[in-house]
Amino acid sequence: MNAQLVDVMKIDIEGHEQEALSPASAGRFFGSSPRVNALLTEFSPWVAQSVGLQPLDYLKQLSAWGLNCTPALSFDRVLNAATTHEQFDLTCLAN
């Protein structure tokens, strides 16, 4: 499947964005390399861990797709999010 360019995509599914955008799930819609100019998504490390996912894998996957992500929180809070049960917004732009 040849994915067409998507200008802006927003995903908000209460902390389960990592599951929805996993290679197994997203591959059905995007193929191996989605073409997205901007992605607005939530990131919830504690939800990811609760379903057996590694939170940093999500950020690595978005980076592999050519997206540079910036959290709406300070990086100190991001690093503690797995223990504080916070979720936060990410703005990801194509490199």
Side-chain angles (χ1 to χ4, degrees), residues 1-4 6 9 20-35:
M1 165 192 267
N2 289 333
Q4 298 207 358
V6 175
M9 178 186 297
L21 291 178
S22 71
S25 297
R28 289 182 280 175
F29 300 104
F30 298 120
S32 62
S33 182
R35 297 176 55 211

Side-chain angles (χ1 to χ4, degrees), residues 75-92:
F75 278 104
D76 289 336
R77 286 182 64 189
V78 170
L79 294 174
N80 292 320
T83 57
T84 61
H85 292 211
E86 287 187 84
Q87 65 184 28
F88 51 91
D89 295 326
L90 288 176
T91 300
C92 305

Side-chain angles (χ1 to χ4, degrees), residues 40-58:
L40 307 173
T41 181
E42 287 182 338
F43 180 55
S44 182
W46 66 275
V47 171
Q49 289 176 335
S50 73
V51 296
L53 299 173
Q54 295 299 315
L56 289 180
D57 288 348
Y58 186 47

